[in-house]
Each structure stands twice: as C-alpha cells, then as structure tokens.
Amino acid sequence: MNEPVYNFGAGPATLPVSVMQQIRDEFLNFNNMGVSIIEISHRSKEFEAVLDRCDALVREIANLPSNYQILYTHGGAQMQFSGVPLNLLGLKPAHQATYAETGHFSRLANVEAARFGNITIACSSKDTQYDRIPAFTRDMVSDDSSYAFITGNNTIYGTQYQTYPDMGDIPLVVDATSDIFSRPVDFSKTGVVFAGMQKNLGPSGTALVIVRDDLIGHALERTPSLLDYSVYHKAHSLPNTANTFAIYTMCLVMEWLKNQGGVAAMAKLNEAKAQTIYTAIDESDFYRGTAHPEHRSRMNVTFLLPTDELNALFVKEALANGLYALKGHKIVGGVRASIYNAMPLAGCQKLVEFMREFARTKG
Ligand SMILES: *Cc1c(COP(=O)(O)O)cnc(C)c1O
C-alpha cells in the first residue's frame, strides 16, 4: 500500500474518501438503472429523490427552522456576490447594504454589490493586512440597510468569525463558502447563508443558498432569472438543467457528515485538528502565524517561515512527503493548510511531524 496523500488545497478541496469510492462504484450503474448519474434527466424521479434527500439532510444537519428554504444555484460562491444584492437590495427603498471587509472575497463581494446599489463598508481590517475580524455590530448598520454582509471564514487570510454578529432586525448575509457545516450555527439569526460547494460540500461551480422565506420575492426588476431566488424556489432548484453531479455528490457528503455525528462532532474534530497545527506554530520560533490568535480560522491555517526560499522549500519537500497543495495564496505567501471537514486528524498530525522535522533540520 502507498502512503495516503493528504490534500491541503483551499478549493476544490479534499472530499471524504468513502464518498469518492461510492461515486466510483456506482458511476456506471446508478440505482441499478444501468446508466450513470451524469446521464439521467434532472427531471427524472430518481434525480428528484436525490434532491429531496439532500434537502432533508441539510435541514437535519443545519437544524434549519422551517421558514428557511434550500436552493442549489449556478455559478459558485462569487455568483452570489451579485445574487445577494439583486435579490435583497429591493427590500428597502434606499437600495442600501452594509458590508464588513475582512479579506479578498469580502472585498470582491462589496465591489460587486456596488454595481447594484449603495454600499457602505462599516469596518475593515485592511490596515492590518486582514489579520483579524473587526467588530461589526447592529449600531454600525443604518436602519435603511436592506442587509448586513459578512464573510464567515476568510480562506486566504486564515481568520474566522468565532460567532456571527447579532444584527437584530437587519437580515445577516453570510458567505460561508469555506466553513459551512464545520460547526453548529444558529441559522435563525441569519437571513441568507451561501456557500460555493467546492470546500465543504462537493464539486465546484455550484452553490448552496439557505434563505429565509420572507427574503424571497424581492428581486430587482433587472435580475436575470437564473439569479432570482424566487425562480429557484418555485422550481425546486430546477429552473433549467441543474448541475446534477454536484448535487448528487453533495448529497453523499451530507450523508457522510450525518454519519460522522453531524456538525457538533465535526466542530470538536475541527477544533482538535486546528489546535494540533496552531500548537506547533506557537511552540516554535521558526513558524509565524499570520492571523491574530483570537481570530484564527479552524479551516485555513496560514503561517510564514523566515524567508521566501524556506517557504518554497517547505512546500516542495512537503509534497514529496505526501502533503499536497500547502502553498499559501499569492497575496499572503507562505504556507496555508486548508483542513476542511473531510481532512482527517491524521493528516494534521502528519503535517505537524513534517513541520517539526523541517524546523529541526533547516531552522
Ligand atoms: C473560495 C471562496 C469563494 C470563491 O468561490 P467561487 O465558487 O470560486 O466563486 C468565495 N468566498 C469564499 C469565502 C471562499 O472561500
């Protein structure tokens, strides 16, 4: 047997091995139909059953209140940078929204939203290279705002909201692409939570959107149909040919997550995984974490070695040791270990062993 390769890529990212084995095993013969999941109609009863099952699992895993709807949308997470303002700005006459700016993706989100309405940046950690999550509270959001927007986990900078801010009467919108279902979340405190599938859910190019009932049906006149939440809702996410393979894969990942003990068990495991690596960083003078300790992410651990040459050598030698895709995003440099739900604790332990050995020989 070859040693396993652990995939620390930021996204598309590692998926549970058992899920990929199941996909392989039934790829040519889905449900004993003699045909593949990728060649059956999105309107077939067999695919509808997959969709229904995925809905039920999401509802159970998220402990979703009944007044929230589940949509599967095209275009990944960034399509929702347009989808959110197009659907929600019309809630109030000012067509205004308030954003927290905590990194690259939250910046892209507020720049995109400004194409459609009046966008306020209430707080930003730009001045400290996005190394923290600045305070964002209801009193920083004008009553005219249709919604308040946060990026739950900052994939590039390795920071994460430890809890979501309470926005009271203002709908809170969360880009949860890189930490959805990694821990329990009180969805009743949110208006919209969306996530590109490629980090904790499945394949890329598609997003899960969880939206409160009363926020559906207010899309601006010019909203393209395939961005309009009410169009997806009325058609059970099949306004046109959906990405059936992505939804099928996500359904299997949700089944796996339920069998792991759901988000409560996952949160414990994710905490242990992250602590394993952060402890190794904090114990050494060789590695330096880039995120402020109180705002550290449990999904993306970012750190620097003393020089660019050592960063590059670390990534190269790690790869030769079965530790794949550890290179940091070009904006931050250094090393980034993305340790989403499907990364086992053993992967983090193997990384830490490698870190200690590398520091011992190169430090
Ligand atoms: C990866 C990521 C995105 C980008 O997702 P796409 O599906 O490529 O658009 C957006 N937001 C966050 C927080 C991410 O981690």
Side-chain angles (χ1 to χ4, degrees):
M1 271 289 281
N2 292 335
E3 287 277 302
V5 171
Y6 293 107
N7 177 6
F8 292 92
T14 190
L15 287 175
V17 174
S18 63
V19 165
M20 291 187 287
Q21 285 168 338
Q22 182 175 345
I23 293 171
R24 178 197 62 198
D25 291 348
E26 64 189 25
F27 193 64
L28 298 184
N29 185 11
F30 179 66
N31 250 2
N32 280 323
M33 296 165 78
V35 292
S36 174
I37 181 68
I38 64 165
E39 54 181 359
I40 65 169
S41 170
H42 56 301
R43 310 219 181 268
S44 63
K45 68 178 191 315
E46 290 84 0
F47 182 73
E48 280 277 0
V50 172
L51 205 52
D52 288 342
R53 178 69 185 147
C54 198
D55 285 348
L57 285 163
V58 168
R59 219 165 259 294
E60 182 182 339
I61 285 166
N63 192 20
L64 207 60
S66 58
N67 61 325
Y68 285 74
Q69 301 301 330
I70 299 162
L71 313 175
Y72 309 91
T73 60
H74 297 289
Q78 291 192 52
M79 194 65 96
Q80 294 310 311
F81 294 177
S82 332
V84 165
L86 283 166
N87 281 278
L88 301 194
L89 281 172
L91 285 164
K92 287 181 184 168
H95 287 193
Q96 193 202 301
T98 308
Y99 280 64
E101 192 172 271
T102 54
H104 178 70
F105 289 115
S106 65
R107 173 93 189 123
L108 291 181
N110 69 56
V111 167
E112 183 67 11
R115 296 160 62 91
F116 308 112
N118 307 309
I119 302 306
T120 303
I121 314 293
C123 56
S124 173
S125 49
K126 186 166 189 279
D127 289 348
T128 54
Q129 283 77 51
Y130 298 119
D131 69 340
R132 66 196 66 197
I133 302 288
F136 187 34
T137 49
R138 172 64 183 86
D139 58 313
M140 296 162 78
V141 181
S142 116
D143 292 342
D144 291 336
S145 261
S146 295
Y147 64 91
F149 185 106
I150 64 167
T151 309
N153 180 76
N154 297 280
T155 320
I156 293 173
Y157 293 91
T159 62
Q160 185 177 26
Y161 282 83
Q162 308 301 302
T163 56
Y164 289 163
D166 185 349
M167 286 297 159
D169 56 325
I170 304 283
L172 177 68
V173 176
V174 185
D175 175 357
T177 298
S178 51
D179 69 349
I180 190 149
F181 304 152
S182 64
R183 57 179 174 177
V185 158
D186 183 356
F187 277 86
S188 73
K189 295 237 157 48
T190 69
V192 176
V193 175
F194 67 87
M197 283 192 190
Q198 69 274 25
K199 286 153 192 170
N200 258 341
L201 303 175
S204 57
T206 311
L208 170 71
V209 178
I210 294 174
V211 53
R212 208 172 66 204
D213 278 340
D214 60 297
L215 305 179
I216 300 177
H218 306 277
L220 300 179
E221 195 70 49
R222 62 187 141 140
T223 305
S225 308
L226 288 182
L227 279 168
D228 185 335
Y229 294 160
S230 69
V231 170
Y232 280 89
H233 176 48
K234 281 191 201 114
H236 194 189
S237 294
L238 300 174
N240 72 330
T241 316
N243 186 335
T244 51
F245 183 72
I247 295 169
Y248 154 79
T249 304
M250 179 179 153
C251 185
L252 296 181
V253 172
M254 293 296 95
E255 208 83 69
W256 170 85
L257 182 51
K258 179 181 149 96
N259 291 336
Q260 299 299 302
V263 286
M266 203 44 72
K268 269 197 199 134
L269 178 63
N270 285 332
E271 184 68 36
K273 283 155 52 184
Q275 281 320 317
T276 300
I277 306 175
Y278 285 123
T279 301
I281 293 170
D282 292 342
E283 278 174 5
S284 101
D285 301 325
F286 188 69
Y287 301 107
R288 185 165 58 82
T290 64
H292 194 283
E294 282 170 38
H295 305 278
R296 281 172 166 172
S297 167
R298 288 168 204 79
M299 295 280 103
N300 309 94
V301 178
T302 51
F303 57 93
L304 301 169
L305 282 72
T307 66
D308 285 346
E309 290 69 32
L310 283 167
N311 284 323
L313 187 65
F314 180 97
V315 170
K316 188 170 159 233
E317 290 198 358
L319 180 60
N321 282 274
L323 303 165
Y324 174 70
L326 279 161
K327 191 173 192 291
H329 190 281
K330 60 182 184 293
I331 301 174
V332 178
V335 178
R336 170 174 54 179
S338 297
I339 51 172
Y340 304 121
N341 285 351
M343 171 61 67
L345 180 59
C348 300
Q349 289 165 336
K350 184 157 182 211
L351 171 59
V352 163
E353 261 171 52
F354 175 79
M355 286 169 71
R356 295 208 166 112
E357 184 60 16
F358 191 88
R360 195 181 64 76
T361 53
K362 308 288 192 312

